[in-house]
Amino acid sequence: MRLPGSKSMTARALVLAALADGPGEIERPLRARDTRLMAAGLQALGVGVDTAADDRWLVTPAPLLGPARVDVGLAGTIMRFLPPVAGLAQGTVEFDGDPHARNRPLRPIVEALRSLGVSIDASPAGGLPLTVCGAGQVDGGEAVIDASGSSQFVSGLLLSAPRFAKGLVLRHEGPPVPSAPHLRMTTHMLRAAGARVDESVPDVWAVEPGALHGRTWVIEPDLSGAAPFFAAAMVTGGEVTLAGWPAESWQPVRTVADLLTEMGATVELTDAGLTVRGTGSLHGVTADLSDISELTPVIAALAALADGPSELRGVAHIRGHETDRIAALAAELTKVGAGVTEFPDGLRIEPRPLHATSFETYADHRMAHAAAVIGLSVPGIELTDVACTSKTLPEFPELWQGLVARS
């Protein structure tokens, strides 16, 4: 099967292309709610983003101007990547989104931007709705941030940092930053656009001021979006090949492959793509998912169907995602019959006989993926809302139906 491009890569490519010194192209972008809203946010700031073609978006940089309004939807990438861009604009830029977006953590990046000289009016909680009063430039310099709640706090600042007058030296102070592969994706893509980035000191990122260059970005298939389809092969003893997977990836494919293998799959990368095969059994695991936290709902679903208990830890920050994913998974897996112990940073899941139920998705695409995986093995699982998958993969219902029909 083929999947659309990576949400994370598409979002970063859009920002880097918008801040470049010349036109850029994005090949095989993800066309979903999050990335459409990102493109619309940049357009509101004056950037030319032509999304007419499905397989190639054209980005034409232009002076960033307010007044503008940016709808972030429920996307962490937009609410954390675009306020630094708005600081470079001349004029006011207002940000707001879906009701739950106001609950997603944003204060660390707001405070970091204020320390760099950006004027921001935020809610009493330090988040949405907020207004960036852009002065046409950001002085930059040194900033300290606690990014333990999301690696996007770091990525959002780094992506705009080459355009800051003094660049940026950003220091993280606090518990470990989650989702390290996403930080590596950010720094790799910055360098590919011509930025000079030094990350040789742990928890410190130094970005020199300078131009970002327009270029063609080729977006990889989305590894997080592929997770439920790989899980389907494991649950059914079948086989799924994700076509178009690159030999060298900016996504944490080895980490994912190792985990799926430990749970009972075989994983192989060939010229045909990335293939996951089920072996007829699923094993419980003890795993730190901090680097691949987006996969937690699907891994939790597999754990509920495994032959032994699992303990999934290191993901306290996913309580601040589209919903509190730890609490949501605990509630829904318990409802379906699994034994679940909830920890501040994860879950212990003990497989038990599962039964039909209505599985609440909490407007969260990853929760819908988890429910679909369980539904392959347990008759009568009903998703309260599958339309929420449009956030990152609008084609999910059709792709899933086609996969199940073929099997």
Side-chain angles (χ1 to χ4, degrees):
M1 63 183 303
R2 292 188 176 274
L3 287 181
S6 159
K7 177 194 77 170
S8 299
M9 288 187 68
T10 302
R12 286 160 174 78
L14 280 167
V15 173
L16 292 171
L19 297 177
D21 58 5
E25 297 183 353
I26 303 175
E27 292 187 2
R28 304 176 201 156
L30 172 66
R31 182 181 288 272
R33 186 183 186 221
D34 279 15
T35 52
R36 286 179 182 273
L37 287 175
M38 178 71 85
L42 292 169
Q43 288 169 334
L45 290 168
V47 179
V49 186
D50 182 352
T51 62
D54 287 339
D55 60 348
R56 185 184 299 267
W57 290 357
L58 306 178
V59 181
T60 306
L64 302 172
L65 298 173
R69 296 179 62 89
V70 175
D71 179 3
V72 308
L74 197 49
T77 48
I78 304 173
M79 68 178 70
R80 292 157 186 162
F81 289 7
L82 290 194
V85 176
L88 295 165
Q90 185 71 54
T92 59
V93 184
E94 299 176 1
F95 292 84
D96 205 357
D98 295 357
H100 186 73
R102 296 187 175 189
N103 299 328
R104 300 197 68 177
L106 199 55
R107 183 187 293 275
I109 200 168
V110 169
E111 293 181 345
L113 284 170
R114 284 173 173 162
S115 75
L116 295 169
V118 179
S119 175
I120 301 180
D121 295 324
S123 74
L128 297 173
L130 64 81
T131 300
V132 177
C133 304
Q137 69 171 18
V138 175
D139 289 339
E142 297 188 8
V144 177
I145 192 169
D146 179 353
S148 58
S150 175
S151 66
Q152 291 175 350
F153 298 145
V154 175
S155 290
L157 291 164
L158 296 184
L159 289 168
S160 291
R163 291 283 303 273
F164 296 171
K166 300 175 184 176
L168 177 66
V169 176
L170 183 65
R171 184 185 308 276
H172 162 69
E173 292 184 357
V177 181
S179 303
H182 283 101
L183 286 178
R184 289 194 291 271
M185 179 186 291
T186 297
T187 55
H188 288 333
M189 293 182 71
L190 275 163
R191 292 188 183 102
R196 288 166 292 186
V197 184
D198 182 357
E199 53 186 329
S200 58
V201 178
D203 290 334
V204 178
W205 299 266
V207 181
E208 296 183 24
L212 293 168
H213 305 313
R215 53 160 289 165
T216 297
W217 298 98
V218 181
I219 307 301
E220 301 173 7
D222 194 295
L223 185 60
S224 297
F229 301 98
F230 291 155
M234 297 170 66
V235 170
T236 63
E239 175 181 315
V240 170
T241 297
L242 177 58
W245 192 259
E248 298 292 333
S249 172
W250 286 345
Q251 299 178 80
V253 63
R254 177 44 52 195
T255 303
V256 173
D258 288 346
L259 178 61
L260 297 186
T261 299
E262 187 178 356
M263 296 192 79
T266 64
V267 183
E268 183 181 16
L269 177 60
T270 67
D271 291 342
L274 187 62
T275 298
V276 175
R277 298 182 182 88
T279 59
S281 60
L282 286 171
H283 309 310
V285 292
T286 297
D288 181 341
L289 301 183
S290 57
D291 277 356
I292 51 172
S293 59
E294 283 288 318
L295 273 63
T296 303
V298 166
I299 299 302
L302 288 173
L305 300 171
D307 57 11
S310 294
E311 196 161 303
L312 311 176
R313 304 296 288 262
V315 291
H317 61 287
I318 70 173
R319 291 187 181 277
H321 280 201
E322 284 79 350
T323 188
D324 179 339
R325 285 180 176 164
I326 294 176
L329 285 166
E332 299 311 307
L333 293 178
T334 298
K335 188 193 302 182
V336 82
V340 182
T341 302
E342 183 178 342
F343 304 113
D345 72 333
L347 301 162
R348 177 177 171 83
I349 300 168
E350 299 181 28
R352 295 175 182 172
L354 305 184
H355 53 75
T357 189
S358 174
F359 200 104
E360 175 63 50
T361 56
Y362 302 86
D364 186 335
H365 53 148
R366 305 299 184 200
M367 291 296 294
H369 295 166
V373 169
I374 292 175
L376 289 174
S377 181
V378 182
I381 299 295
E382 295 183 359
L383 283 67
T384 58
D385 172 30
V386 74
C388 63
T389 57
S390 66
K391 183 178 190 295
T392 52
L393 187 56
E395 304 92 333
F396 180 79
E398 292 76 21
L399 289 169
W400 194 258
Q401 180 65 29
L403 186 78
V404 173
R406 286 196 300 272
S407 64

